[in-house]
Amino acid sequence: MIGSEIIEEYDLENISIATLGSHSALQILKGAKELGFRTVVICKKGREEVYRRFRVADRIIVLDEFIDVMKPEILEKLKEENAIMIPHGSLIAYVGVENIKKLELPIFGNRILISYEGDRKLEREWLTKAGLRMPKEFKDPKEIDRLVIVKFAGAKGGRGYFLASSYDEYKKKVDELLARGKITEEDLKTSTIQEYVFGVNMYFSYFYSPINDEVEFFGIDRRYETNVDNIGRIPARDQLNTNIEPSYVVVGNFPLVARESLLPKILEIGDNVVEISKKIAYPGLIGPFCIETMITDRLEIIAFEISVRIVAGTNVFTQGSPYSYLLYGDNVSMGKRIAMEIKRAVEENRIKDIVT
Ligand code: AMP
């Protein structure tokens, strides 16, 4: 609990909100400013212009690489600012979960759960305990008996994922990818073979407030993935001739609303995931999280991942979502919701309940 120790030395009247200049930083910083916080953005050289132009940062710290945020002199600057770090996907991708665990700054959220990100085994345990259905996983490719998606870990993102319907097809594609140098034996070892779920994507974002002890449903997005989202524009006949493999590289997001009859289930999922989180890593979830799902034509919700922090899909709701509007009226983004929680925690002297 490094963060809650450090925050004892902070001047809580003068807290600032800090985040890495990437991912969802614009809405995080804008939301913090709207609540009257000072804001600090930590940028990789060459990307500071974005935060200058949109006038969301009171201070811009420029680094050669994001990982330099771990350097003592940078941490010192952030402590002088009484900075609370807001984690997001780029903190995880560029600083890494092991470093986040030991980052000597108060982090908004539960850093132990944040470090689950990317660990498909821990995520699966958590989500299934919460009663969520997940796609079947095949430990041994020889057992493939239906259409599967083969996923590679880490920075490869959705690039290079491939589909196969049998062991022979799997083996043929793997050999080809290895021969072309597209993957390594190591990538293969850490890959996951998952049943391909037919349906549509919905990414449910929630906010758990320890202050109100309530799970708020925030909104839904779907990703815009290249090339899979446009593969249907090529007639099947031509696809056969070109040997196209789908890729799932995210380039943006769309806002969505769910048919209202799905809402009871969506709310229940959020509640269950929070409840289990308290058992697996006390005090459990704090703030934003997102459950990535596929909805089938039987209206089953199949989850394949959880993100324990703000997701970039909430960027479509900088002015608020259809659901945050119901709770708070206009203009409450996820970034602003985070700032609201921090402000209230400071006012009620409960800051240690929301940082770790
Ligand atoms: P992931 O890297 O697990 O977030 O997956 C990237 C994308 O691949 C998702 O947004 C989906 O479009 C697709 N995908 C992942 N898992 C499955 C699955 N089990 N069935 C069908 N599509 C999937």
Side-chain angles (χ1 to χ4, degrees):
M1 291 289 177
I2 303 168
S4 52
E5 283 157 22
I6 293 167
I7 211 155
E8 279 182 6
E9 297 156 22
Y10 271 26
D11 168 8
L12 294 185
E13 293 295 309
N14 290 305
I15 276 189
S16 62
I17 301 292
T19 199
L20 291 195
S22 182
H23 193 263
S24 44
L26 285 170
Q27 57 153 321
I28 291 171
L29 299 169
K30 175 73 180 172
K33 276 187 91 64
E34 281 184 6
L35 269 283
F37 288 106
R38 183 175 157 77
T39 56
V40 182
V41 68
I42 305 134
C43 286
K44 190 173 157 164
K45 204 183 280 166
R47 292 181 63 173
E48 62 274 27
E49 191 59 13
V50 176
Y51 305 95
R52 191 167 290 132
R53 289 256 192 114
F54 287 109
R55 297 184 262 284
V56 289
D58 295 311
R59 181 169 180 186
I60 300 179
I61 298 175
V62 181
L63 306 176
D64 286 332
E65 298 295 337
F66 283 130
I67 187 74
D68 295 343
V69 72
M70 299 299 289
K71 288 187 173 164
E73 63 272 24
I74 306 299
L75 291 173
E76 218 32 65
K77 283 185 192 173
L78 291 165
K79 283 182 197 163
E80 278 162 20
E81 293 278 358
N82 297 296
I84 294 180
M85 178 68 101
I86 313 297
H88 55 44
S90 294
L91 188 75
I92 291 168
Y94 301 117
V95 176
V97 292
E98 287 312 312
N99 285 323
I100 292 174
K101 274 195 214 159
K102 44 186 200 234
L103 184 67
E104 288 184 22
L105 280 178
I107 294 181
F108 178 74
N110 180 338
R111 63 174 83 201
I112 299 301
L113 288 175
I114 292 167
S115 72
Y116 274 29
E117 183 142 337
D119 188 328
R120 291 191 193 270
K121 196 163 156 264
L122 288 174
E123 286 184 22
R124 181 167 279 267
E125 262 174 46
W126 178 4
L127 294 177
T128 47
K129 271 189 193 154
L132 273 154
R133 285 201 51 198
M134 297 192 74
K136 182 178 162 64
E137 269 185 21
F138 295 85
K139 296 275 169 276
D140 180 353
K142 293 206 172 89
E143 288 168 7
I144 296 172
D145 62 356
R146 64 194 81 182
L147 185 64
V148 295
I149 178 165
V150 182
K151 303 183 184 185
F152 297 101
K156 287 195 186 301
R159 185 177 291 120
Y161 286 13
F162 68 88
L163 307 182
S165 303
S166 64
Y167 175 66
D168 287 349
E169 193 184 351
Y170 169 90
K171 183 85 179 71
K172 192 169 154 244
K173 288 189 174 171
V174 162
D175 289 345
E176 212 175 283
L177 286 168
L178 285 169
R180 284 172 34 216
K182 296 273 182 193
I183 56 165
T184 61
E185 290 287 352
E186 194 48 40
D187 291 331
L188 210 54
K189 271 192 216 137
T190 52
S191 69
T192 309
I193 305 172
Q194 217 172 58
E195 163 190 20
Y196 190 91
V197 180
F198 292 93
V200 291
N201 294 134
M202 279 195 170
Y203 292 76
F204 302 130
S205 277
Y206 303 83
F207 187 95
Y208 174 63
S209 161
I211 305 290
N212 296 336
D213 186 22
E214 192 176 47
V215 185
E216 295 164 15
F217 176 51
F218 179 81
I220 314 169
D221 72 284
R222 65 162 279 208
R223 295 179 181 167
Y224 193 33
E225 293 171 335
T226 182
N227 59 20
V228 74
D229 282 328
N230 252 353
I231 238 166
R233 294 179 60 160
I234 302 172
R237 156 186 94 231
D238 298 307
Q239 287 187 28
L240 284 176
N241 293 335
T242 49
N243 224 351
I244 299 171
E245 279 289 350
S247 56
Y248 300 84
V249 179
V250 182
V251 291
N253 304 78
F254 301 103
L256 268 184
V257 284
R259 49 189 286 177
E260 209 154 299
S261 58
L262 281 173
L263 284 176
K265 186 74 193 150
I266 294 172
L267 296 178
E268 186 191 328
I269 288 172
D271 290 350
N272 291 347
V273 166
V274 169
E275 195 187 313
I276 301 297
S277 75
K278 292 184 188 196
K279 295 188 181 140
I280 56 180
Y282 191 81
L285 279 161
I286 299 169
F289 64 102
C290 177
I291 301 175
E292 293 151 23
T293 72
M294 209 60 140
I295 320 289
T296 70
D297 56 5
R298 293 176 168 192
L299 300 181
E300 284 171 309
I301 300 179
I302 316 275
F304 45 90
E305 248 182 274
I306 179 164
S307 301
V308 185
R309 34 95 189 160
I310 185 169
V311 292
T314 60
N315 287 343
V316 297
F317 302 122
T318 302
Q319 291 171 286
S321 78
Y323 305 98
S324 72
Y325 174 75
L326 297 171
L327 280 175
Y328 295 108
D330 278 333
N331 216 6
V332 175
S333 66
M334 186 59 100
K336 188 164 170 184
R337 181 64 192 86
I338 292 170
M340 285 161 64
E341 191 77 358
I342 296 174
K343 187 159 187 216
R344 231 183 109 195
V346 171
E347 283 165 2
E348 295 184 13
N349 206 11
R350 292 185 60 187
I351 194 79
K352 281 188 168 182
D353 291 341
I354 61 159
V355 300
T356 58

